[in-house]
Amino acid sequence: MVYFNEVPEKVVYEGTTTKNPYAFRHYNPEEVILGKTMKEHLRFALAYWHTMTQDGSDPFGSPVNQRNWWGENEMETAKNRVEAFFEILQKLDVEYFCFHDIDIAPTGDSLEEFLANLDVITDLIKEKMDQTGIKLLWNTANMFSHPRYVNGAATSNNAEVYAYAAAQVKKGLEISKKLNGANYVFWGGREGYESLLNTNMGFEQDNIARFFHLAVDYAKKINHQPQFLLEPKPKEPMTHQYDFDAATTMAFLQKYDLTENFKLNLEANHATLAGHTFQHEINTARNYNALGSLDANQGDPLIGWDIDEFPSNIYDTTLAMYEVLENGGIQPGGINFDSKVRRTSFEQGDLLLAHIVGMDTFARGLRAAAKLKEDRFFDDLKEKRYASYTTGIGQEIVDGKADLESLADYALTHGEIKTESNHLEYVKSLLNDYLV
Ligand code: XLS
Ligand code: CA
Ligand code: CA
């Protein structure tokens, strides 16, 4: 069965003159940039939940997505989805994928049944991985959709819920081992609070930290140690999510002695929900040596919630890719399209078109970022701006040779200070030249 008939073989790079909507206009996988191919730089991944299981429903309306993988029963649909997923991965030439446990297999009537279904489906996924060479970037456990998780999972007030969540993560790590996952993600679905009036925040955070240590211990025990990633988000579904943003999440990881095993999985739309740019979040993570992986999408400045739109803004992808280059790359992480088609894009072929724009937008970002780096655009700008710290009193401050008395003496003997304009408007004008 062929699921994506719009493209008989593969989506290929045809350049900007093409009239073929199912072609890359900018993403040229084998093109070498700064010593690596585009494919190696970008390490794209597809998200099972948005690509295979999202149905186009929203709080105001029913499912609209037209899909051709429905089977006679849930298990047959799940198997068809695996086939269709590997077909789209191959057609888009994408090497990695990500999933939640409940995306891939029906949850059945009991935990036991769910675990058995996961075994069957992950056998099939493994077969497909072996045939195609496609790899697992990360998997995770959905511990937020079922009603039992109404108060969170590892921060729930109910210890039985905590145990159930542990069962899911135990299985998730076993699956990660079976499929040789590079990373394992925790996004704190409902790990936060609706109201502080009834919440013991300190206790809940102690509990979830214990939970993460249990996960690290179990990974060691089964001899499979993926890079653990924690994904910040400030709000939604809870009023307040504990992993608010990169800086808050790092404070948590440091407080609970988890930095050795955890890095951050940063999502563009979560950054903007927190009142930050994507670049800010990536830069913050880099400053802690904790950039793990990226969830590629974008929000809409006119809509205040998490809409996971496919990335199409080249300004943002350029600055994000600049941070990635500065980091020396993103491996063992990648760029995962945690993005969904708009509800009005309900035809199956829209899944191809949407991923193409996302991949093209990151390719353009990478090209521009590489040029900015080659030209030392930001390096020169910043070097000049901080030059006062490279000689004299500035050098003494940096070397730890100054104290309050020597600094005060300096200020008293040097008179008023001459400041310089940043000319930021001019900087932005020059930056624009790199984007188009
Ligand atoms: C939801 C999150 C989720 C995580 C994985 O907002 O982005 O999809 O990435 O659980
Ligand atoms: Ca995400
Ligand atoms: Ca999101």
Side-chain angles (χ1 to χ4, degrees):
M1 167 94 189
V2 177
Y3 291 93
F4 292 90
N5 303 295
E6 299 80 2
V7 176
E9 291 289 328
K10 255 177 185 283
V11 175
V12 293
Y13 172 67
E14 293 182 9
T16 49
T17 52
T18 188
K19 295 274 178 282
N20 175 9
Y22 298 102
F24 295 120
R25 299 156 63 81
H26 301 275
Y27 178 58
N28 185 7
E30 300 312 322
E31 182 182 323
V32 175
I33 292 182
L34 300 178
K36 282 202 281 186
T37 63
M38 274 196 159
K39 194 171 176 177
E40 287 165 339
H41 275 289
L42 293 163
R43 300 172 57 86
F44 287 133
L46 257 55
Y48 214 96
W49 54 105
H50 284 318
T51 302
M52 304 316 298
T53 52
Q54 191 262 125
D55 60 12
S57 57
D58 71 10
F60 307 93
S62 348
V64 287
N65 289 347
Q66 297 165 0
R67 302 292 184 252
N68 61 9
W69 46 69
W70 297 108
E72 295 286 304
N73 53 55
E74 282 192 307
M75 210 46 187
E76 197 182 303
T77 302
K79 289 179 184 169
N80 292 345
R81 281 194 175 117
V82 173
E83 297 285 336
F85 192 54
F86 277 80
E87 186 184 315
I88 189 172
L89 282 160
Q90 282 177 287
K91 286 189 167 169
L92 289 167
D93 201 3
V94 166
E95 212 177 340
Y96 298 92
F97 66 102
C98 305
F99 63 86
H100 302 85
D101 48 4
I102 73 158
D103 305 335
I104 59 167
T107 48
D109 293 326
S110 65
L111 181 57
E112 228 177 353
E113 201 181 321
F114 180 36
L115 300 184
N117 288 344
L118 282 169
D119 287 339
V120 174
I121 299 297
T122 51
D123 281 349
L124 189 58
I125 290 178
K126 185 163 178 355
E127 231 172 75
K128 288 280 173 189
M129 291 171 71
D130 292 343
Q131 280 164 18
T132 59
I134 290 168
K135 305 179 198 76
L136 176 61
L137 187 68
W138 53 261
N139 61 313
T140 184
N142 178 319
M143 305 184 291
F144 44 89
S145 295
H146 191 278
R148 84 177 66 85
Y149 292 124
V150 64
N151 284 302
T155 63
S156 172
N157 54 308
N158 183 337
E160 289 189 0
V161 174
Y162 191 100
Y164 203 105
Q168 272 184 263
V169 170
K170 175 174 177 287
K171 187 67 175 180
L173 289 169
E174 288 158 5
I175 290 172
S176 174
K177 177 174 171 146
K178 176 173 173 180
L179 304 181
N180 199 21
N183 305 275
Y184 186 87
V185 163
F186 288 97
W187 165 61
R190 292 180 197 274
E191 315 293 22
Y193 60 78
E194 202 162 71
S195 169
L196 257 190
L197 297 178
N198 62 2
T199 300
N200 187 340
M201 180 153 62
F203 178 69
E204 291 196 359
Q205 294 200 326
D206 291 350
N207 264 351
I208 194 169
R210 275 190 266 275
F211 192 89
F212 291 148
H213 277 289
L214 297 181
V216 170
D217 292 347
Y218 189 65
K220 280 190 189 135
K221 186 168 179 190
I222 62 172
N223 208 9
H224 168 66
Q225 294 181 53
Q227 173 65 56
F228 283 98
L229 301 174
L230 193 48
E231 180 178 331
K233 182 172 184 178
K235 56 191 165 196
E236 199 197 316
M238 300 311 261
T239 314
H240 179 92
Q241 304 271 135
Y242 289 139
D243 304 321
F244 193 91
D245 60 3
T248 312
T249 307
M250 286 315 301
F252 168 86
L253 292 174
Q254 288 183 335
K255 174 174 177 189
Y256 292 103
D257 201 16
L258 285 159
T259 49
E260 198 189 310
N261 296 289
F262 276 78
K263 289 190 170 181
L264 302 181
N265 183 42
L266 299 167
E267 181 183 309
N269 204 162
H270 296 179
T272 47
L273 281 178
H276 303 309
T277 60
F278 198 21
Q279 183 194 16
H280 168 95
E281 287 294 83
I282 305 173
N283 193 292
T284 302
R286 284 210 302 111
N287 289 333
Y288 284 96
N289 191 24
L291 175 56
S293 199
L294 298 180
D295 270 7
N297 59 24
Q298 66 187 27
D300 187 314
L302 303 179
I303 299 177
W305 64 89
D306 191 21
I307 63 167
D308 293 345
E309 194 176 338
F310 273 88
S312 59
N313 183 323
I314 52 178
Y315 205 98
D316 290 347
T317 57
T318 297
L319 297 176
M321 285 314 298
Y322 185 80
E323 295 294 335
V324 169
L325 292 178
E326 284 290 277
N327 196 58
I330 188 86
Q331 62 285 354
I335 296 179
N336 166 46
F337 286 106
D338 191 350
S339 305
K340 64 176 176 224
V341 285
R342 299 301 83 207
R343 190 164 185 268
T344 46
S345 301
F346 47 79
E347 289 175 16
Q348 194 155 311
D350 285 308
L351 286 172
L352 289 164
L353 298 176
H355 283 97
I356 291 169
V357 72
M359 292 164 81
D360 272 343
T361 305
F362 266 89
R364 293 183 81 166
L366 169 62
R367 272 212 191 91
K371 189 83 182 53
L372 286 161
K373 200 166 160 60
E374 268 173 350
D375 291 356
R376 295 185 45 86
F377 181 86
F378 294 119
D379 289 328
D380 288 348
L381 184 80
K382 290 180 194 175
E383 231 172 74
K384 193 159 164 267
R385 193 157 174 265
Y386 294 96
S388 69
Y389 285 91
T390 57
T391 55
I393 193 74
Q395 187 70 61
E396 282 175 32
I397 294 171
V398 173
D399 292 345
K401 288 183 182 150
D403 57 23
L404 274 191
E405 287 166 298
S406 69
L407 291 170
D409 279 348
Y410 184 94
L412 282 167
T413 51
H414 280 75
E416 199 37 78
I417 299 156
K418 189 175 166 291
T419 54
E420 280 174 36
S421 164
N422 284 333
H423 310 303
L424 202 49
E425 295 77 3
Y426 180 58
V427 171
K428 288 185 177 176
S429 157
L430 293 178
L431 177 57
N432 278 349
D433 290 345
Y434 284 84
L435 300 183
V436 278

